[in-house]
Amino acid sequence: QNVNNEMKGMRYLDEAARIINADASRKVEIIALGRDIPYISDIHEMARLYASVDAFVLPSLSENLPNTIMEAMACGTPCVGFRVGGIPEMIDHLENGYLANYKDSEDLAKGILYVLDEQNHQRLAQNARQKIIDCYSEKAVAERYIEIYTNEQSIS
């Protein structure tokens, strides 16, 4: 996936970083897969990368249910993304990450600072991991399918 594609929203992330870094007392470093580091195909290396960062930001302007958010949250990494597509189904605002207003770099910056705040970070990280276990793990998905099939048979 090309980070240079306008729909990936990198200009909003870069602008959010400029907003944050304009305050000399704060400093964030943005590392973009595909721009700053090459594509990673090894799943264990990718999991280490997700777990090593303080936040995962997906500034995409159009998404369904992005695997990258699921993967980051499974590694206990709080996520920030725009309130668009399926992202609000995954990120519970202020509970396991931050949902920024669409195409709003200032709100994206606010969200990044929110998840990096020490008072919030550990709680968000734990909630992110729990959300994946509760909603997207193999067990949770299988239970939903069984429920659907059971309800379907009782209707027939």
Side-chain angles (χ1 to χ4, degrees):
Q1 301 195 356
N2 188 347
V3 295
N4 296 320
N5 179 331
E6 192 174 317
M7 294 304 291
K8 292 297 173 190
M10 290 303 295
R11 73 184 190 112
Y12 298 98
L13 179 57
D14 290 338
E15 179 61 23
R18 278 192 290 281
I19 291 167
I20 293 168
N21 292 335
D23 181 340
S25 68
R26 304 183 299 218
K27 177 82 170 137
V28 295
E29 183 178 354
I30 304 296
I31 300 170
L33 185 62
R35 181 179 73 183
D36 303 313
I37 56 176
Y39 175 75
I40 298 172
S41 59
D42 180 86
I43 61 171
H44 301 292
E45 189 177 341
M46 195 66 216
R48 280 191 294 277
L49 178 62
Y50 282 128
S52 70
V53 298
D54 296 315
F56 178 78
V57 183
L58 185 68
S60 290
L61 305 180
S62 174
E63 287 289 343
N64 290 318
L65 283 175
N67 285 337
T68 53
I69 287 180
M70 248 184 274
E71 293 164 358
M73 289 173 69
C75 295
T77 303
C79 295
V80 179
F82 287 127
R83 193 181 307 273
V84 64
I87 294 173
E89 291 180 40
M90 304 173 86
I91 298 175
D92 299 318
H93 188 58
L94 307 181
E95 293 301 319
N96 57 28
Y98 189 96
L99 289 168
N101 295 321
Y102 188 62
K103 293 185 175 183
D104 185 339
S105 297
E106 287 189 26
D107 199 31
L108 194 64
K110 182 179 173 185
I112 292 167
L113 291 172
Y114 180 83
V115 301
L116 294 178
D117 186 304
E118 286 182 36
Q119 292 180 349
N120 302 324
H121 194 270
Q122 189 60 37
R123 175 183 59 84
L124 295 171
Q126 290 171 343
N127 289 347
R129 176 109 173 94
Q130 195 61 51
K131 170 82 179 224
I132 297 307
I133 291 167
D134 293 345
C135 299
Y136 300 105
S137 67
E138 288 178 9
K139 181 178 188 264
V141 172
E143 287 173 352
R144 271 198 220 94
Y145 275 117
I146 290 168
E147 184 180 322
I148 289 168
Y149 293 138
T150 303
N151 288 340
E152 191 67 30
Q153 287 176 350
S154 66
I155 294 173
S156 301

